[in-house]
Amino acid sequence: MEFRRVADILKNGQPEEAVVVKGWVRTKRELKGFAFTEVNDGSSLAGLQVVLDSDIPDYEANLKQINTGASIEVTGTLVASQGKGQKIELKADTVIIYGEADPETYPLQKKRHSFEFLREISHLRSRTNTLGAVFRVRNACATAIHQFFQEKGFLWIHTPIITASDCEGAGELFTVTNFNLDKLPQDKEGKIDYSQDFFGKPAYLTVSGQLQVEAMAMAFQNVYTFGPTFRAENSNTSRHLAEFWMIEPEMAFCDLEGDQNLAEEFLKYIFQYVLDNCPEDIEFFNKWINKSLLETANNIMSNEFERVTYTKAVELLEKASKKFEFPVEWGIDLQSEHERYLAEELFKKPVIVTNYPKGIKAFYMRLDEGEKTVSAMDVLAPGIGEIIGGSQREERLDILERRIQEMNIEADSLWWYLDLRRYGSVPHAGFGLGFERLVQFITGMANIRDVIPFPRTPDNADF
RNA sequence: UCCUCGGUAGCUCAGUGGUAGAGCGGUCGGCUGUUAACCGAUUGGUCGUAGGUUCGAAUCCCACCCGGGGAGCCA
């Protein structure tokens, strides 16, 4: 008698095989003299239909306890299904109830729930079809990311979670301290005396591992981060989390074009991997969540991404017949409506916009000739907007120092970053992408809070 | 943070000044192949919270709390 996962049984199970299945009851249908129940163990979207004949031991008692949400173990024999909807089903010999789920109070019903409601029961929502599919796809994305980089010889770098540098300019920071907040030590001027804090200076949760991973790229050439990131920004949108996961590849001896090539190859690879490994889940999303999902995926995988400079993009937007709420003008950052127009209406496929004005981009991006623009790139995808942001980094010490001064960035904690330009500096480039936004993109889920198991947002750190 | 819409039964919602409603769910009964099972019956309420207006408030006014959508910021 062999313990098998449901996904394996549905794929490989043959009639006459004796199996043991363990999982959670999704639904029960009682008829006179027998009953059906569907058991799901998380291994697949579809559950296994179990047939319970009234001649099994303790039929009446068991049936009372087999309710939606209960955990059970079924031992029996696989048989070809007489009904429609499944090829194979399990004819039970014995049933063990592990844990009951009182139908009067169990919040998940055999019906569709709103995602807003499911968020209030985040500890249970993974037992639903949609969230189950989301987290299987999320896992596949993570696997695909590592596989992609590992196949290319990139090293996975664990950059610090705690940082004393607040100069990345990527948003508000969470402070890390072991001070007693009711009794903050003060210096003679009445200011908080951080020299007494754990790190001897103000410390924060990381908003990006990029600066550190650049240092590692200067030793291993090709590296990437994949880890948690924190932003204390008071953003209440369907695309923002206070705690999220970010992927940041960094390549030495690489320019902006190589960066674009990697971003394009990366996205195509992830989509292909998920389509190959989670076809059932993707089919589900395409049917119930976003009917153009497969179309979008195929669009991503089969088309060359369009590549335009920022200057060209602005020209195209100015020529557009469409009226924008925010007028376009060289020098401004592109608004979401502009990005959407480029990707969704004009090119109808992913667009990489490059060489943005230096005034709207970060200090570390490489200054282009003419010194008006920097070697930045944003990948804009239909239906989601900016999904990847990256750049070639400034590898020239004098120019980087000048840029830091021009932008009034506090340079003391950046000494080591500048050292990288002092000793064996090379052209290098990389990009960052939010993992949850990638999962959103691939699943079609509208709200980012529904693609991470336990979302952290302003005023919400439950579970 | 700003704009906007909303909060009524376990869930999804209707009810716009005069006795609190529906569907689904739950419960009970029926049904020999169901699969969002079906059929019948039944159960179910601090109308977000606290004030105010009124003979009378789920409904009108004020404040606050919570949620959705959009914007900004960004990934």
Side-chain angles (χ1 to χ4, degrees), chain A residues 27-222:
Chain A
T27 170
K28 171 181 66 174
R29 293 175 291 274
E30 283 182 71
L31 290 89
K32 192 177 181 69
F34 67 110
F36 298 100
T37 182
E38 188 186 318
V39 176
N40 189 291
D41 68 354
S43 61
S44 67
L45 184 69
L48 181 65
Q49 172 154 289
V50 175
V51 186
L52 302 153
D53 258 324
S54 57
D55 57 7
I56 66 167
D58 302 317
Y59 176 75
E60 295 287 337
N62 279 333
L63 213 55
K64 269 214 139 41
Q65 293 179 301
I66 296 176
N67 293 305
T68 305
S71 49
I72 66 172
E73 174 182 317
V74 183
T75 302
T77 310
L78 296 179
V79 294
S81 180
Q82 296 171 36
K84 287 176 181 165
Q86 60 280 316
K87 272 190 284 187
I88 204 151
E89 63 194 16
L90 176 59
K91 190 168 183 333
D93 292 327
T94 59
V95 175
I96 297 169
I97 314 288
Y98 278 90
E100 291 186 64
D102 181 357
E104 302 263 15
T105 57
Y106 186 65
L108 290 172
Q109 304 169 0
K110 298 185 288 186
K111 55 173 275 194
R112 294 183 75 175
H113 289 292
S114 68
F115 292 123
E116 292 81 22
F117 171 69
L118 291 176
R119 255 171 246 150
E120 295 169 8
I121 49 166
S122 289
H123 58 309
L124 298 173
R125 65 176 181 165
S126 295
R127 303 184 191 183
T128 64
N129 285 340
T130 305
L131 274 294
V134 163
F135 296 129
R136 274 187 301 274
V137 168
R138 183 181 167 108
N139 171 69
C141 285
T143 305
I145 287 163
H146 282 302
Q147 191 171 302
F148 174 79
F149 286 124
Q150 294 298 324
E151 279 173 3
K152 289 182 165 299
F154 282 55
L155 255 63
W156 179 23
I157 304 297
H158 304 101
T159 47
I161 305 293
I162 297 171
T163 173
S165 158
D166 66 346
C167 53
E168 283 135 6
E172 297 291 316
L173 299 140
F174 285 102
T175 300
V176 176
T177 181
N178 72 339
F179 277 155
N180 175 351
L181 296 181
D182 294 324
K183 212 168 53 188
L184 292 169
Q186 298 180 334
D187 61 19
K188 283 169 189 158
E189 291 161 13
K191 291 185 172 168
I192 293 166
D193 183 6
Y194 283 102
S195 69
Q196 293 185 47
D197 203 354
F198 189 88
F199 295 106
K201 60 173 94 166
Y204 313 94
L205 291 178
T206 183
V207 293
S208 164
Q210 187 204 310
L211 301 191
Q212 289 92 347
V213 92
E214 278 187 50
M216 299 302 274
M218 294 301 120
F220 301 104
Q221 293 206 9
N222 293 333

